[in-house]
Amino acid sequence: MREADRQEVWAINRFTAFNALTESVGRSVNVKTALVDNKVLAIFGIGTLTFLSRTAVPWVLTSNEVEKHRRMFLQYSKWWIEEVRKEYPLLVNIVDGRYIKALKWLKWLGFEIGPALPLGVDGALFHRIEMRT
């Protein structure tokens, strides 16, 4: 897992990379792994607020391979978000305010980035992200 992803999951609830992955996968209705040359690029999925919710909580945990295959990651993530939007009219999550690359990527995908607010164990600053169809 990329260091910025590790810092983010630690800041919100003191999860290790393993904890973050197992919790995210366990709470998701759809999980995928992006591989390039048999190496993990990213693991991502959709959580929901409730079983019947029409609000999705998309998440992604990336590896350092993203830097080597940036264009592929960008193209696939754009396609994937468009597919998710067909089923869910509202996408929401939070992002560590220090994770500038993620915030730029999310803005490029079309998410609205809310103001930074203190959250998590130590009150680190996180932005709410949102996309409506």
Side-chain angles (χ1 to χ4, degrees):
M1 188 181 298
R2 279 200 296 191
E3 184 59 30
D5 285 23
R6 287 178 190 274
Q7 289 177 9
E8 181 180 61
V9 300
W10 183 259
I12 194 62
N13 51 19
R14 296 276 193 257
F15 276 173
T16 63
F18 179 78
N19 295 136
L21 183 58
T22 56
E23 284 291 319
S24 296
V25 168
R27 296 175 186 259
S28 296
V29 295
N30 190 354
V31 178
K32 298 190 182 306
T33 302
L35 299 172
V36 177
D37 299 327
N38 291 321
K39 294 180 183 175
V40 174
L41 185 70
I43 300 174
F44 53 99
I46 296 294
T48 57
L49 298 178
T50 65
F51 182 68
L52 297 174
S53 178
R54 299 289 294 148
T55 300
V57 182
W59 58 270
V60 62
L61 298 170
T62 58
S63 77
N64 291 326
E65 293 296 310
V66 165
E67 300 300 328
K68 297 175 190 170
H69 304 283
R70 187 173 182 266
R71 174 178 263 174
M72 182 183 300
F73 177 74
L74 292 174
Q75 290 173 336
Y76 188 77
S77 61
K78 187 76 154 178
W79 171 83
W80 182 68
I81 285 296
E82 291 305 318
E83 290 299 306
V84 171
R85 291 179 72 191
K86 291 176 183 176
E87 188 171 345
Y88 297 97
L90 177 61
L91 309 180
V92 298
N93 207 331
I94 56 173
V95 177
D96 189 333
R98 300 169 296 176
Y99 203 169
I100 302 304
K101 284 185 179 183
L103 290 166
K104 286 180 180 180
W105 168 65
L106 291 161
K107 187 173 180 85
W108 176 81
L109 285 173
F111 281 89
E112 293 179 27
I113 312 293
L117 300 172
L119 294 172
V121 178
D122 296 323
L125 296 178
F126 279 77
H127 295 269
R128 176 185 164 93
I129 61 165
E130 183 176 297
M131 182 186 289
R132 293 182 184 273
T133 55

